[in-house]
């Protein structure tokens, strides 16, 4: 295993937000350096104004550095409050970051735009970089170099959760007033019947991290649908579907596809002529030809005439009072219950 260390200048740069003026930078200076050896490496800092967290940047390092210790580790990044509660997880702009990608000369950016997290002026926060559990056996990583003497007065280097009397060299916390979280609208077409697979679903996304790859994972009843990796899916039968969308952060949209109500009516009234029965708002009537259906009250009064077309007809009965009625057609008579 080889070592890699960072020789960097520390900046803390921000922008104006909510009419609060942010300090442009806080610089650590240079001097004698020590390497960090930790499973989790962090740095506490104080927000200079109230604003949205945009990203944390680790600029290009000295080209005389060696590789990182801990080959093959998948590296994560997160932000915590002073009480050590995780507030948000970041997204590496160059993709799923492994230790080999953190090499001399590389600028690494952890993006937090999708978290839509507001940092409060004067409050203390902690960023942490860590080896994702399970990516390799547990060994300490060398990710950064530190400067003793606390050149940054509003924070400390934190090794595995314990604050040290030194600072990490070379990081910049950037704030912004323009964060656009990932969002998506959705639409669907139900299958024409319970036995059909002619339904479809579509998502349309906006926001997220600009430049990040966009992926779609569709599932039916919790099982991944093979080959369904675009924003639209077709040939669907009835069931519960989800689309997991990732563009830096992840958003899940849910769909429930049921058989088209007219198709259900066709199946039911092929047996019953009128469906549903009892009914409160509307009924479906199956007519073998164009004709007029007559609705009679229990006392024999004609209360409604319905002009029917051949096939399935949707008929409102909201104008009828609750009770029993008789619907007369050429094919026969059917009792209708309005409730």
């Amino acid at each position: 295993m080889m070592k890699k260390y960072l020789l960097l200048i520390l900046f803390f740069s921000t922008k104006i937000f909510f009419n609060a003026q942010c300090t442009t930078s806080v610089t650590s200076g240079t001097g004698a350096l020590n390497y960090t050896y930790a499973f989790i490496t962090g740095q506490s800092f104080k927000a200079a104004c109230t604003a949205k967290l945009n990203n944390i940047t680790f600029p290009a390092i000295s080209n005389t550095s060696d590789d990182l210790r801990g080959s093959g580790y998948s590296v994560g990044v997160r932000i915590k409050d002073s009480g050590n509660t995780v507030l948000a997880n970041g997204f590496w702009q160059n993709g799923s970051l492994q230790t080999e990608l953190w090499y001399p000369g590389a600028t690494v950016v952890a993006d937090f735009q999708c978290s839509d997290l507001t940092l409060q002026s004067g409050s203390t926060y902690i960023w942490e970089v860590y080896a994702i559990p399970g990516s390799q056996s547990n060994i300490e990583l060398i990710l950064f170099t530190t400067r003793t003497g606390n050149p940054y007065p509003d924070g400390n280097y934190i090794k595995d959760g314990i604050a040290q009397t030194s600072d990490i060299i070379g990081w910049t916390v950037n704030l912004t007033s323009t964060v656009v979280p990932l969002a998506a609208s959705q639409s669907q077409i139900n299958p024409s019947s319970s036995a059909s697979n002619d339904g479809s679903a579509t998502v349309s996304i906006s926001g997220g991290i600009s430049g990040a790859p966009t992926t779609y994972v569709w599932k039916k009843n919790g099982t991944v649908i093979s080959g369904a990796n675009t924003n639209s899916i077709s040939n669907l039968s009835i069931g519960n579907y989800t689309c997991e969308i990732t563009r830096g952060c992840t958003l899940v949209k849910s769909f429930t596809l049921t058989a088209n109500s007219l198709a259900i009516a066709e199946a039911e009234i092929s047996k019953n002529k009128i469906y549903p029965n009892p009914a409160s708002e509307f009924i479906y009537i199956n007519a073998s030809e164009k004709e007029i259906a007559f609705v009679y009250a229990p006392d024999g009064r004609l209360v409604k005439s319905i002009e029917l077309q051949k096939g399935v007809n949707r008929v409102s009965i909201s104008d009828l009072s609750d009770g029993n009625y008789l619907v007369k057609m050429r094919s026969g008579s059917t009792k209708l219950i309005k409730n």
Side-chain angles (χ1 to χ4, degrees):
M1 292 182 291
M2 304 175 69
K3 295 182 179 179
K4 179 180 181 181
Y5 56 88
L6 309 178
L7 181 57
L8 304 160
I9 297 176
L10 169 64
F11 293 99
F12 187 153
S13 64
T14 55
K15 297 180 180 179
I16 297 175
F17 187 74
F18 296 154
N19 298 318
Q21 177 66 50
C22 296
T23 304
T24 55
S25 66
V26 177
T27 305
S28 67
T30 60
L33 302 174
N34 299 300
Y35 308 124
T36 67
Y37 293 84
F39 299 104
I40 300 172
T41 298
Q43 172 76 41
S44 59
F45 65 95
K46 184 176 291 186
C49 65
T50 298
K52 300 284 186 179
L53 177 59
N54 186 359
N55 62 55
I56 301 174
T57 302
F58 305 93
I61 65 173
S62 168
N63 59 12
T64 61
S65 300
D66 295 326
D67 287 338
L68 285 171
R69 180 180 181 180
S71 175
Y73 269 106
S74 293
V75 182
V77 61
R78 59 197 174 204
I79 193 92
K80 293 182 172 182
D81 63 17
S82 58
N84 223 33
T85 299
V86 176
L87 301 177
N89 290 284
F91 166 79
W92 297 114
Q93 284 189 351
N94 52 339
S96 178
L97 189 66
Q98 291 191 315
T99 48
E100 286 84 354
L101 297 178
W102 212 318
Y103 57 85
T107 295
V108 180
V109 180
D111 206 312
F112 286 85
Q113 289 186 75
C114 283
S115 65
D116 197 20
L117 177 64
T118 299
L119 302 188
Q120 300 296 324
S121 178
S123 295
T124 297
Y125 300 91
I126 303 166
W127 61 256
E128 286 186 342
V129 173
Y130 60 96
I132 295 175
S135 63
Q136 204 185 64
S137 59
N138 289 330
I139 62 172
E140 293 180 322
L141 297 177
I142 303 174
L143 293 175
F144 305 100
T145 55
T146 63
R147 165 90 188 273
T148 58
N150 291 81
Y152 173 59
D154 292 322
N156 296 88
Y157 157 48
I158 297 175
K159 175 181 178 180
D160 295 328
I162 301 174
Q164 311 294 308
T165 57
S166 55
D167 289 305
I168 292 175
I169 305 299
W171 53 267
T172 304
V173 174
N174 296 303
L175 307 184
T176 181
S177 60
T178 55
V179 171
V180 184
L182 183 62
S185 60
Q186 63 190 86
S187 61
Q188 68 184 63
I189 298 176
N190 287 323
S192 59
S193 73
S194 58
S196 300
N197 61 347
D198 52 0
S200 63
T202 301
V203 293
S204 301
I205 68 171
S206 61
I209 297 176
S210 178
T214 303
T215 61
Y216 303 89
V217 177
W218 289 88
K219 298 180 181 180
K220 179 182 180 181
N221 300 329
T223 301
V224 174
I225 302 173
S226 177
N229 53 15
T230 66
N231 72 312
S232 184
I233 187 171
S234 57
N235 301 320
L236 302 182
S237 57
I238 60 174
N240 296 313
Y241 295 84
T242 59
C243 182
E244 183 178 288
I245 311 157
T246 300
R247 182 186 278 174
C249 60
T250 299
L251 178 68
V252 177
K253 304 297 286 186
S254 299
F255 301 80
T256 298
L257 269 63
T258 58
N260 184 284
S261 58
L262 184 59
I264 295 174
E266 288 175 341
E268 290 294 326
I269 65 178
S270 65
K271 301 178 294 183
N272 302 316
K273 294 297 182 183
I274 294 177
Y275 174 83
N277 193 3
S280 57
E281 297 295 329
F282 63 87
I283 57 174
Y284 292 100
I285 300 178
N286 189 13
S288 59
E289 59 183 321
K290 183 177 180 180
E291 63 171 303
I292 296 176
F294 300 98
V295 182
Y296 293 92
D299 59 5
R301 289 180 299 108
L302 177 64
V303 294
K304 191 178 183 70
S305 298
I306 306 167
E307 186 175 335
L308 302 176
Q309 302 298 317
K310 182 179 179 180
V312 176
N313 298 261
R314 189 176 189 271
V315 178
S316 172
I317 59 171
S318 59
D319 56 331
L320 297 179
S321 301
D322 290 354
N324 297 328
Y325 296 88
L326 188 66
V327 181
K328 287 187 176 182
M329 300 169 57
R330 291 173 185 167
S331 58
S333 299
T334 302
K335 180 182 178 180
L336 169 65
I337 302 174
K338 165 70 188 306
N339 57 14

